[in-house]
């Protein structure tokens, strides 16, 4: 039986509940699936017919090490999904600039380079943003993300300075649509729209983070056709043969504004759609055992 490694992190050695749904779906296609911790020295990756990156939710803390692991697999001839070039491109949020240059509507962004200086109050004033969100350019699951405003920017300046000493930073206007009606996650499997969920932040006053660790929620929902068309346009602007992708954005004036394009280790909400795990298994199977 051909076997696929489902790469995960040390904190989730058996994957998360959602990713585990892929194992029986692959078994139905005659493919074995084995969880494997990406940085474990005990894994012989060459024994597998390929590696599917899944619950590697610590990659952003060790991006250089993670990408070095991907490069080792590549040099060894081990197939990786998504492709290594895509993983490298998506690891730094500057990919949003590339997409914007290709005509994709993204959240307006001010890019600040590591080691540089920026006057946060002036930045917000010049951009005419009353409220803003600051985040590291290498981040996942809202790690290191915080909210500021024209009223608090002077007090928040030290926090920005600290982040700039550690890495590149991005500043964006706060998008109220994240709170109401919510943030869309449109999932593509095998290059095609599979399903979607609408995410909302927790009930905490003023919170905007939709991730579960912050009390967020997600409900299966069909996006309007205009948003699907915009999500497909995002995908058309991405190089590489993608097994999975998650297009995250909000609706404004009937169109999708891209917030994130998740191509490394996104939660795919397989449990939110009865056929999703089967579609992902089929997409992977077509690449492992091509006709």
């Amino acid at each position: 039986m051909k076997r696929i490694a489902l790469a995960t992190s040390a904190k989730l050695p058996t994957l998360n509940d959602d990713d585990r749904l892929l194992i029986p779906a692959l078994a139905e296609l005659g493919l074995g699936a084995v969880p494997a911790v990406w940085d474990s020295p005990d894994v012989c990756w060459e024994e597998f017919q390929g590696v599917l990156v899944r619950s590697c939710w610590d990659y952003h803390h060790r991006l250089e090490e993670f990408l070095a692991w991907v490069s080792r697999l590549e040099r060894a001839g081990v197939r990786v999904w998504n492709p290594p070039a895509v993983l490298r491109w998506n690891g730094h949020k500057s990919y949003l600039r590339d997409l914007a240059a290709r005509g994709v509507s993204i959240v307006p962004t001010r890019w600040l380079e590591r080691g540089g200086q920026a006057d946060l109050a002036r930045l917000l004033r010049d951009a005419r943003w009353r409220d803003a969100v600051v985040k590291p350019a290498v981040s996942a699951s809202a790690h290191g993300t915080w909210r500021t405003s024209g009223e608090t920017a002077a007090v928040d300046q030290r926090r920005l300075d600290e982040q700039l000493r550690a890495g590149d930073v991005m500043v964006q206007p706060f998008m109220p649509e994240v709170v109401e009606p919510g943030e869309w996650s449109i999932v593509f499997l095998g290059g095609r729209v599979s399903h979607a969920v609408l995410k909302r932040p927790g009930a905490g006053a003023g919170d905007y983070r939709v991730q579960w660790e912050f009390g967020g929620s997600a409900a299966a929902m069909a996006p309007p056709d205009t948003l699907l068309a915009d999500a497909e346009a995002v995908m058309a602007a991405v190089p590489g043969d993608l097994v999975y992708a998650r297009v995250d954005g909000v609706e404004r004036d009937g169109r999708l504004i891209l917030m994130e394009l998740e191509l490394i280790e996104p939660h795919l909400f397989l449990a939110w759609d009865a056929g999703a795990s089967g579609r992902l298994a089929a997409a992977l199977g077509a690449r492992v055992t091509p006709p």
Side-chain angles (χ1 to χ4, degrees), residues 154-212:
V155 176
D156 293 335
Q157 181 66 51
R158 173 179 286 187
R159 190 172 186 180
L160 175 61
D161 292 341
E162 291 175 352
Q163 278 194 310
L164 282 171
R165 284 193 287 271
D168 298 338
V169 175
M170 52 199 297
V171 184
Q172 299 175 320
F174 172 69
M175 305 292 281
E177 292 89 348
V178 169
V179 177
E180 185 60 44
E183 177 184 337
W184 287 99
S185 281
I186 302 174
V187 178
F188 286 74
L189 301 176
R192 297 182 179 181
V193 172
S194 172
H195 57 288
V197 300
L198 188 63
K199 302 180 295 186
R200 291 189 174 92
D207 206 343
Y208 57 93
R209 296 166 297 186
V210 297
Q211 292 82 7
W212 281 289

Side-chain angles (χ1 to χ4, degrees), residues 128-259:
R128 298 183 180 180
W129 298 340
R130 179 178 177 181
D131 297 289
V133 174
V134 182
K135 63 180 74 172
V138 175
S139 180
S141 300
H143 172 74
T145 299
W146 47 280
R147 189 171 171 181
T148 187
S149 70
E151 290 76 18
T152 65
V155 176
D156 293 335
Q157 181 66 51
R158 173 179 286 187
R159 190 172 186 180
L160 175 61
D161 292 341
E162 291 175 352
Q163 278 194 310
L164 282 171
R165 284 193 287 271
D168 298 338
V169 175
M170 52 199 297
V171 184
Q172 299 175 320
F174 172 69
M175 305 292 281
E177 292 89 348
V178 169
V179 177
E180 185 60 44
E183 177 184 337
W184 287 99
S185 281
I186 302 174
V187 178
F188 286 74
L189 301 176
R192 297 182 179 181
V193 172
S194 172
H195 57 288
V197 300
L198 188 63
K199 302 180 295 186
R200 291 189 174 92
D207 206 343
Y208 57 93
R209 296 166 297 186
V210 297
Q211 292 82 7
W212 281 289
E213 54 265 45
F214 303 113
S217 63
M221 197 169 296
D225 290 342
T226 52
L227 298 194
L228 288 176
D230 289 341
E232 289 174 341
V234 172
M235 292 291 290
V238 180
D241 178 28
L242 306 182
V243 173
Y244 56 84
R246 202 183 79 199
V247 178
D248 290 351
V250 295
E251 181 179 2
R252 177 169 288 185
D253 298 326
R255 305 313 298 248
L256 183 73
I257 305 298
L258 182 69
M259 300 188 71

Side-chain angles (χ1 to χ4, degrees), residues 261-272:
L261 175 61
E262 300 278 5
L263 304 179
I264 298 179
E265 36 62 270
H267 191 290
L268 294 174
F269 300 99
L270 300 180
W272 277 250

Side-chain angles (χ1 to χ4, degrees), residues 52-72:
L52 185 74
V53 178
R54 287 312 315 129
S55 309
C56 301
W57 289 352
D58 56 352
Y59 87 92
H60 56 289
H61 296 297
R62 304 150 61 194
L63 181 61
E64 290 186 4
E65 185 179 346
F66 176 78
L67 293 180
W69 165 72
V70 171
S71 293
R72 286 196 299 273

